[in-house]
Amino acid sequence: QPGNRVGLIGQNDAVEYGMINPTTMQYWTPAGNINVDFGPTIEEWTHVAVVVNSDGIVVFSNGEVLGETGGGGPVSSGDTFNMGGDGIYDATGNFFLGSMDDVAVYNIALSPDDIAALASGDAVPIARGAAGAGGPPPPDNGWIFSEQEGETAAPTFGNEAGTLSGGVEWSTEDPFGSGGSVSFNGTDGTVVMEDLATAYNDLANFSLSIWIKANDTGIDKGFWEAVDSGGGDLWGLRYD
């Protein structure tokens, strides 16, 4: 990602997840945060995940623990979830340049074995067939981006559709060789889950799982966020 503060997914000022700089992944909330060494990973699909429970925060890449810390805990927001930027770390901006697939949000803390199964492909977060024995449960909300047309990303799990906005396009490429993904231009592309604002308010345990492929390294880009209409921030994941 070219720059700092690149957001993957989240809600500004609540859960912020992404790249705080080209070589550091950050998970940030008002209740706790963690920075871990990561990247640059360019033109290659990578599975990333965060698990939060009473013991703290754990960040994973391709099934391996990148870092862990105490803290974390429930946060609240009335804002929308965003994927790919438009206010993950800041009220605006933080756009991600690259592709995402199989975005999954759980209202439980997945185990390390669950994360390893997701990263290896033994258990995909969004079911394409029979679930493997011993894999994680279905996510509470998840999207595989298989529509490949229109401006709506229908949910594979849960009830909340995403709206494609700005420079985001359907892509036939994905880490599993089928289904497709969404590609962000790094300038104004985002997917907004307008009705998912309060789904995870006050949860003490939850997990995020995403496949990402960055097209460049840099700053101020976002993966997923939730941001209010007045420009307030709640939570997210980012490159910073």
Coordinates of all heavy atoms in Angstrom, one line a residue, residues 11-15 29-31 73-79 81 197-203 206 226 228 233-235:
Q11 N -14.8 0.2 11.8 CA -15.5 1.4 12.2 C -14.6 2.4 12.8 O -13.9 2.1 13.8 CB -16.6 1.1 13.2 CG -17.8 0.3 12.6 CD -18.8 -0.1 13.7 OE1 -18.5 -0.9 14.6 NE2 -19.9 0.5 13.7
N12 N -14.5 3.5 12.2 CA -13.5 4.6 12.6 C -13.8 4.9 14.1 O -14.9 5.1 14.5 CB -13.7 5.8 11.7 CG -12.5 6.7 11.9 OD1 -11.6 6.5 12.6 ND2 -12.6 7.9 11.2
D13 N -12.7 4.9 14.9 CA -12.8 5.2 16.3 C -13.5 4.1 17.1 O -13.7 4.3 18.3 CB -13.4 6.5 16.6 CG -12.5 7.7 16.3 OD1 -11.3 7.5 16.1 OD2 -13.0 8.8 16.2
A14 N -13.8 3.0 16.6 CA -14.3 1.8 17.3 C -13.4 0.6 17.1 O -12.7 0.2 18.0 CB -15.7 1.5 17.0
V15 N -13.4 0.0 15.9 CA -12.5 -1.1 15.6 C -11.8 -0.7 14.3 O -12.5 -0.5 13.3 CB -13.2 -2.4 15.4 CG1 -12.3 -3.5 14.9 CG2 -13.8 -2.9 16.8
T29 N -8.7 -0.3 18.9 CA -10.0 0.1 19.4 C -9.7 1.0 20.6 O -8.6 1.1 21.2 CB -10.8 -1.1 19.9 OG1 -10.3 -1.6 21.2 CG2 -10.7 -2.3 18.9
P30 N -10.8 1.7 21.1 CA -10.6 2.5 22.3 C -10.3 1.7 23.5 O -9.7 2.2 24.5 CB -12.0 3.2 22.5 CG -12.6 3.2 21.1 CD -12.1 2.0 20.5
A31 N -10.5 0.4 23.5 CA -10.3 -0.5 24.6 C -8.9 -1.2 24.6 O -8.5 -1.9 25.5 CB -11.4 -1.6 24.7
G73 N -11.8 -5.6 24.4 CA -13.1 -5.6 25.2 C -14.1 -4.9 24.3 O -13.9 -4.5 23.2
P74 N -15.4 -4.8 24.8 CA -16.5 -4.3 24.0 C -16.3 -2.9 23.7 O -15.8 -2.1 24.4 CB -17.7 -4.5 25.0 CG -17.2 -5.5 26.0 CD -15.8 -5.3 26.2
V75 N -16.8 -2.5 22.5 CA -16.9 -1.1 22.0 C -18.3 -1.0 21.4 O -18.9 -2.0 21.1 CB -15.8 -0.8 21.0 CG1 -14.4 -0.8 21.6 CG2 -15.8 -1.7 19.8
S76 N -18.7 0.2 21.2 CA -20.1 0.5 20.6 C -20.0 1.5 19.5 O -19.2 2.4 19.6 CB -21.0 0.9 21.7 OG -21.2 -0.1 22.7
S77 N -20.9 1.3 18.5 CA -21.0 2.3 17.4 C -22.3 2.2 16.8 O -22.9 1.1 16.7 CB -19.9 2.0 16.4 OG -20.1 2.8 15.3
G78 N -22.8 3.3 16.3 CA -24.0 3.3 15.4 C -23.7 3.5 14.0 O -24.5 3.7 13.1
D79 N -22.4 3.4 13.6 CA -21.9 3.7 12.3 C -21.9 2.4 11.4 O -22.0 1.3 11.9 CB -20.5 4.3 12.4 CG -20.4 5.6 13.1 OD1 -21.5 6.2 13.2 OD2 -19.4 5.9 13.7
F81 N -20.4 -0.4 8.8 CA -19.1 -1.1 8.5 C -18.7 -0.8 7.1 O -19.5 -0.7 6.2 CB -19.4 -2.6 8.5 CG -19.2 -3.3 9.9 CD1 -19.7 -4.6 10.0 CD2 -18.7 -2.6 10.9 CE1 -19.6 -5.2 11.3 CE2 -18.6 -3.2 12.2 CZ -19.0 -4.5 12.3
A197 N -24.4 -1.7 11.4 CA -23.8 -0.7 12.3 C -23.7 -1.3 13.8 O -22.7 -1.1 14.5 CB -24.4 0.6 12.3
T198 N -24.8 -1.9 14.2 CA -24.9 -2.2 15.7 C -24.7 -3.7 15.9 O -24.9 -4.2 17.0 CB -26.2 -1.7 16.3 OG1 -27.3 -2.3 15.6 CG2 -26.3 -0.2 16.1
A199 N -24.4 -4.5 14.9 CA -24.4 -5.9 15.0 C -23.4 -6.4 16.1 O -23.6 -7.5 16.7 CB -24.1 -6.6 13.7
Y200 N -22.3 -5.7 16.3 CA -21.3 -6.2 17.2 C -21.0 -5.2 18.4 O -20.0 -5.4 19.1 CB -20.0 -6.4 16.4 CG -20.2 -7.5 15.3 CD1 -20.5 -7.1 14.0 CD2 -20.2 -8.8 15.7 CE1 -20.8 -8.1 13.1 CE2 -20.5 -9.8 14.8 CZ -20.8 -9.4 13.5 OH -21.1 -10.4 12.5
N201 N -22.0 -4.4 18.6 CA -21.9 -3.5 19.8 C -21.8 -4.3 21.0 O -22.6 -5.2 21.2 CB -23.1 -2.5 19.8 CG -22.9 -1.3 18.9 OD1 -21.9 -1.3 18.1 ND2 -23.8 -0.4 18.9
D202 N -20.9 -3.9 21.9 CA -20.8 -4.5 23.3 C -20.4 -5.9 23.3 O -20.5 -6.6 24.4 CB -22.1 -4.3 24.0 CG -22.4 -2.8 24.1 OD1 -21.5 -2.0 24.3 OD2 -23.6 -2.5 24.0
L203 N -19.9 -6.5 22.2 CA -19.4 -7.9 22.2 C -18.0 -8.0 22.9 O -17.1 -7.2 22.5 CB -19.4 -8.5 20.8 CG -20.7 -8.8 20.1 CD1 -20.4 -9.3 18.8 CD2 -21.5 -9.8 21.0
F206 N -15.1 -11.6 19.6 CA -15.4 -11.7 18.1 C -14.1 -12.0 17.4 O -13.0 -11.9 17.9 CB -16.1 -10.4 17.7 CG -15.3 -9.2 17.8 CD1 -14.5 -8.7 16.8 CD2 -15.4 -8.4 18.9 CE1 -13.8 -7.6 16.9 CE2 -14.7 -7.2 19.1 CZ -13.9 -6.8 18.0
A226 N -16.0 1.0 10.2 CA -17.4 1.5 10.4 C -17.2 3.0 10.7 O -16.4 3.4 11.5 CB -18.1 0.9 11.6
D228 N -19.4 7.0 11.0 CA -20.7 7.6 11.1 C -20.9 8.7 10.1 O -20.0 9.1 9.4 CB -21.0 8.1 12.5 CG -20.1 9.2 12.9 OD1 -19.6 9.9 12.0 OD2 -19.9 9.4 14.1
D233 N -15.4 8.1 14.1 CA -14.8 6.9 13.8 C -15.1 5.9 14.9 O -15.2 6.3 16.0 CB -13.3 7.0 13.7 CG -12.8 8.2 13.0 OD1 -13.6 8.6 12.1 OD2 -11.7 8.6 13.2
L234 N -15.2 4.6 14.5 CA -15.4 3.6 15.6 C -14.5 2.4 15.5 O -13.8 2.2 16.5 CB -16.9 3.2 15.6 CG -17.7 4.3 16.1 CD1 -19.2 4.0 16.0 CD2 -17.4 4.7 17.6
W235 N -14.5 1.6 14.5 CA -13.5 0.5 14.6 C -13.0 0.1 13.2 O -13.7 0.3 12.2 CB -13.9 -0.7 15.4 CG -15.1 -1.5 14.9 CD1 -16.4 -1.4 15.3 CD2 -15.0 -2.6 14.0 NE1 -17.1 -2.3 14.7 CE2 -16.3 -3.1 13.9 CE3 -13.9 -3.2 13.3 CZ2 -16.6 -4.2 13.1 CZ3 -14.2 -4.3 12.5 CH2 -15.5 -4.8 12.4

